């Protein structure tokens, strides 16, 4: 599981399909927006979910997002996905970037 800390307005890119943005952080809950392109209409679809610490939701059959910790203006989100699915902070690169080694692979290689 990869755990990333995010603030309101910050997002995580999951593979080439999904963007997960933090909309609001409460005392013990977080509101998240999951965006993905809709191949039928050519525009994005959104799903907004509220989750408490310890709760999770399935993004796809092999991708799960959980809320690990909420503290002040920061939430820690855990993302479980196969190694080949790239998970990065959204501000680091656009979806159409060339494939590179994921941060999980760099950690595994000892870089």
């Amino acid at each position: 599981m990869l755990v990333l800390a995010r603030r309101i307005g910050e997002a995580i890119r999951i593979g080439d399909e999904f963007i997960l943005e933090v909309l609001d952080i409460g005392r013990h809950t977080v509101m998240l927006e999951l965006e993905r392109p809709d191949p039928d209409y050519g525009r994005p679809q959104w799903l907004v979910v509220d989750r408490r610490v310890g709760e999770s939701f399935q993004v796809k059959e092999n991708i799960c997002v959980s809320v690990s910790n909420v503290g002040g203006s920061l939430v820690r989100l855990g993302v479980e996905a196969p190694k080949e699915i790239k998970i990065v902070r959204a501000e680091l690169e656009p979806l159409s970037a060339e494939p590179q080694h994921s941060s999980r692979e760099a950690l595994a290689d000892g870089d």
Side-chain angles (χ1 to χ4, degrees):
M1 178 187 308
L2 179 66
V3 178
L4 294 170
R6 303 278 67 198
R7 297 181 190 281
I8 294 174
E10 294 180 338
I12 299 170
R13 291 189 188 276
I14 303 172
D16 291 331
E17 287 184 77
F18 301 100
I19 300 173
L20 182 66
E21 182 178 345
V22 178
L23 296 179
D24 192 25
I25 300 173
R27 208 167 176 185
H28 301 287
T29 63
V30 62
M31 182 183 291
L32 303 166
E33 175 186 80
L34 183 66
E35 178 185 335
R36 75 176 185 99
D38 184 345
D40 296 331
Y41 298 103
R43 40 185 175 173
Q45 290 181 325
W46 292 275
L47 171 67
V48 177
V49 296
D50 283 323
R51 290 294 181 267
R52 294 182 177 276
V53 174
E55 293 182 337
S56 62
F57 65 96
Q58 290 290 132
V59 172
K60 209 171 178 180
E61 70 181 43
N62 59 350
I63 302 171
C64 183
V65 175
S66 60
V67 178
S68 300
N69 190 347
V70 175
S73 63
L74 198 65
V75 61
R76 291 193 194 320
L77 300 170
V79 182
E80 290 185 58
K83 277 177 69 170
E84 60 273 6
I85 295 178
K86 192 172 190 178
I87 302 165
V88 296
R89 296 188 327 255
E91 65 269 19
L92 292 182
E93 65 182 60
L95 284 175
S96 60
E98 289 294 315
Q100 298 175 357
H101 294 293
S102 74
S103 57
R104 288 183 286 180
E105 289 173 354
L107 290 173
D109 294 340
D111 293 339

